[in-house]
């Protein structure tokens, strides 16, 4: 744990970490708040699903686009503009009752204008600490983000149930604005300038580590969406009371996130090696597969806690690979594509898991999750030749290169 004390000796590291977590906190709230708000507005979950789908599509499209814009227009300008516009749109749908078609369009715009906090901060990390501490910083970030997915839904449900869904949406908008302003005003933002990428949009996907990370991220996150659906179905109440089932499923998923937090702190800082991604995914696979033994709440909590130990370290490994192999000017776009892959994975995992639940019950979604993790593990194992061995070396990004015109005498 001494490595994390070392990180704290670098000015601004923990401020950046805390501010970006605050700015990203609404990401753990919005899905459930929008779902509840739209269901109350239109009286059915189909309408809510359409609105959420529009938001996800917008966010998936925006990932590489807004990330790339940060190199053209500047990080502060892009982050400030998207934070203000996205927050205003959230307040609009909170208090203005509009036809479903218009709200769907607004939800798409919410996705498009979602602040690219994650690509921004992960682009900054390699400039904040020495090369031998970058893996630890990525690990700490991956572990800390579990707070978003544990506390976020709790805050969303509490605010919405006690004060109404419009207040819940306003809380999310306020966190986005406050956290975004805190992050944007960090002194580091004045020092580090993201250069404009010299390549066309999407060319960064030709880099093996970016493509591998995007594909692995798709299957890895899709498995989480499926297992979450399975856990919720396993404790769905039969007496019409939603609170009992929600409490049990929430507890199980909290253990899963807790395992990820622990794993990130004790494993994630280890240097990435060619087989690191495979080993870490295999840990998650083992815990998920063990869920098929029993749907007892405590059994699921235990095995998912153990499986979760590999979650944050896997995300940390992906970040370290990008930090070591992608030029600084292309890093934000690379993380944008990875984020898009993960968003599409969530949608796919939820959809496939839902079909499997209708066919086989909760076990069906668990089988889907296991299958997706098997695919992710196979990809990680078959691409080790392109994954860098970072043991014993400092992470350094490739130098920026370009054509220099030399005048003839």
């Amino acid at each position: 744990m001494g490595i994390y004390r070392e990180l704290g000796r670098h000015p601004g590291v923990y401020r950046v970490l805390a501010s970006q977590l605050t700015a990203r906190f609404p990401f753990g709230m919005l899905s459930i708040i929008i779902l509840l708000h739209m269901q109350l507005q239109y009286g059915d979950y189909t309408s809510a699903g359409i609105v959420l789908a529009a938001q996800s599509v917008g966010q998936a499209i925006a990932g590489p686009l807004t990330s790339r814009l940060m190199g053209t227009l500047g990080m502060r300008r892009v982050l400030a503009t998207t934070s203000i516009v996205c927050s205003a749109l959230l307040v609009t749908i909170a208090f203005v009752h509009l036809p479903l078609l218009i709200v769907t369009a607004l939800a798409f715009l919410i996705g498009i204008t979602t602040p690219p906090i994650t690509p921004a901060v992960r682009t900054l990390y390699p400039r904040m600490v020495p090369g031998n501490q970058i893996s630890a910083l990525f690990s700490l970030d991956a572990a800390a983000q579990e707070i978003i997915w544990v506390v976020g839904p709790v805050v969303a449900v509490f605010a919405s149930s006690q004060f109404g869904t419009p207040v819940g949406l306003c809380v999310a908008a306020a966190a986005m604005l406050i956290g975004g302003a805190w992050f944007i005003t960090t002194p580091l933002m004045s020092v580090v300038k993201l250069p404009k990428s010299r390549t066309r949009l999407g060319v960064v996907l030709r880099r093996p580590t970016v493509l591998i990370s995007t594909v692995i991220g798709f299957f890895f996150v899709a498995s989480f969406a499926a297992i979450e659906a399975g856990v919720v179905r396993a404790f769905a109440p039969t007496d019409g009371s939603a609170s009992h089932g929600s409490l049990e499923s929430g507890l199980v998923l909290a253990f899963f996130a807790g395992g990820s937090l622990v794993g990130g702190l004790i494993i994630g800082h280890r240097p990435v090696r060619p087989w690191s991604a495979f080993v870490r995914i295999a840990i998650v696979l083992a815990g998920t597969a063990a869920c098929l033994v029993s749907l007892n709440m405590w059994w699921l909590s235990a095995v998912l806690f153990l499986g979760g130990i590999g979650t944050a370290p896997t995300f940390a490994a992906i970040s370290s690979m990008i930090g070591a192999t992608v030029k600084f000017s292309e890093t934000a776009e690379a993380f944008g594509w990875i984020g898009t892959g993960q968003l599409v994975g969530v949608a796919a995992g939820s959809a496939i898991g839902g079909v499997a639940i209708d066919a086989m019950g909760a076990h069906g979604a668990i089988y889907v999750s296991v299958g997706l993790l098997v695919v992710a593990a196979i990809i990680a194992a078959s691409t080790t030749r392109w994954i860098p061995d970072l043991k014993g070396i400092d992470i350094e990004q490739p130098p920026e290169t370009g054509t220099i015109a030399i005048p003839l005498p």
Side-chain angles (χ1 to χ4, degrees), residues 160-304:
S160 298
S161 61
Q162 296 298 315
F163 306 105
T165 53
V167 173
L169 286 167
C170 288
V171 170
M176 185 177 293
L177 279 176
I178 295 171
W182 188 12
F183 177 60
I184 292 169
T185 55
T186 54
L188 187 67
M189 296 290 285
S190 300
V191 177
V192 179
K193 302 294 183 183
L194 181 63
K196 182 179 179 180
S197 177
R198 299 185 179 92
T199 60
R200 297 188 307 275
L201 178 68
V203 171
V204 71
L205 287 170
R206 295 179 183 176
R207 293 186 178 273
T209 52
V210 178
L211 184 59
I212 291 168
S213 298
T214 301
V215 176
I216 287 178
F218 169 83
F219 287 103
F220 195 57
V221 175
S223 74
F224 297 153
I227 192 67
E228 287 174 6
V231 169
V232 171
R233 175 62 181 86
F235 300 106
T238 58
D239 59 356
S241 172
S243 60
H244 179 64
S246 298
L247 177 62
E248 291 179 316
S249 59
L251 182 62
V252 171
L253 294 175
F255 270 98
F256 194 18
S260 179
L261 177 61
V262 171
L265 294 176
I266 64 175
I267 297 176
H269 65 278
R270 296 179 180 274
V272 172
R273 309 207 68 183
W275 286 92
S276 293
F278 170 78
V279 172
R280 297 174 187 193
I281 293 171
I283 294 173
V284 184
L285 174 59
T288 304
C291 293
L292 295 169
V293 174
S294 171
L295 295 180
N296 173 271
M297 184 187 73
W298 295 112
W299 171 259
L300 290 178
S301 298
V303 296
L304 285 178

Side-chain angles (χ1 to χ4, degrees), residues 26-389:
F27 301 170
M29 302 174 60
L30 284 180
S31 293
I32 191 167
I33 293 179
I34 291 177
L35 180 71
L36 293 172
H37 185 69
M38 292 301 119
Q39 193 277 330
L40 290 174
Q41 290 282 307
Y42 301 103
D44 61 85
Y45 284 98
T46 300
S47 299
I50 292 172
V51 173
L52 279 175
Q55 181 205 355
S56 298
V57 170
Q59 194 171 350
I61 293 173
L65 296 177
T66 53
S67 299
R68 188 180 177 89
L69 278 176
M70 289 192 292
T72 304
L73 303 177
M75 283 190 178
R76 277 181 167 165
R77 186 176 299 175
V78 172
L79 291 171
T81 301
T82 52
S83 296
I84 292 171
V85 174
C86 190
S87 299
L89 290 170
L90 288 173
V91 174
T92 299
I93 67 171
F95 293 106
V96 182
H97 185 70
L98 298 166
L100 178 61
L101 183 61
I102 296 178
V103 173
T104 301
L106 291 177
F108 177 78
L109 291 176
I110 288 172
I112 285 287
T113 59
T114 297
I117 298 292
T118 302
V121 72
R122 291 180 180 171
T123 297
L124 291 176
Y125 281 160
R127 292 291 192 269
M128 295 172 61
V129 297
N132 62 349
Q133 296 179 5
I134 293 175
S135 292
L137 185 52
F138 278 131
S139 174
L140 186 60
D141 174 82
Q145 75 176 358
E146 294 300 334
I147 298 172
I148 297 171
W149 308 112
V150 175
V151 181
V154 175
V155 173
V157 172
F158 176 79
S160 298
S161 61
Q162 296 298 315
F163 306 105
T165 53
V167 173
L169 286 167
C170 288
V171 170
M176 185 177 293
L177 279 176
I178 295 171
W182 188 12
F183 177 60
I184 292 169
T185 55
T186 54
L188 187 67
M189 296 290 285
S190 300
V191 177
V192 179
K193 302 294 183 183
L194 181 63
K196 182 179 179 180
S197 177
R198 299 185 179 92
T199 60
R200 297 188 307 275
L201 178 68
V203 171
V204 71
L205 287 170
R206 295 179 183 176
R207 293 186 178 273
T209 52
V210 178
L211 184 59
I212 291 168
S213 298
T214 301
V215 176
I216 287 178
F218 169 83
F219 287 103
F220 195 57
V221 175
S223 74
F224 297 153
I227 192 67
E228 287 174 6
V231 169
V232 171
R233 175 62 181 86
F235 300 106
T238 58
D239 59 356
S241 172
S243 60
H244 179 64
S246 298
L247 177 62
E248 291 179 316
S249 59
L251 182 62
V252 171
L253 294 175
F255 270 98
F256 194 18
S260 179
L261 177 61
V262 171
L265 294 176
I266 64 175
I267 297 176
H269 65 278
R270 296 179 180 274
V272 172
R273 309 207 68 183
W275 286 92
S276 293
F278 170 78
V279 172
R280 297 174 187 193
I281 293 171
I283 294 173
V284 184
L285 174 59
T288 304
C291 293
L292 295 169
V293 174
S294 171
L295 295 180
N296 173 271
M297 184 187 73
W298 295 112
W299 171 259
L300 290 178
S301 298
V303 296
L304 285 178
F305 178 87
L306 294 175
I309 289 174
T311 303
T314 300
F315 288 123
I318 288 174
S319 297
S320 294
M321 285 194 296
I322 299 302
T325 60
V326 179
K327 292 186 294 185
F328 183 54
S329 62
E330 298 177 341
T331 304
E333 184 185 341
F335 281 118
W337 283 111
I338 292 170
T340 292
Q342 293 175 2
L343 282 168
V344 176
V346 169
S350 297
I352 300 172
V355 172
I357 286 173
D358 288 339
M360 303 173 60
H363 281 95
I366 298 173
Y367 279 118
V368 169
S369 182
V370 169
L372 291 166
L373 285 170
V374 168
V375 174
I378 290 173
I379 295 171
S382 60
T383 56
T384 53
R385 59 180 293 188
W386 292 288
I387 298 176
D389 189 345

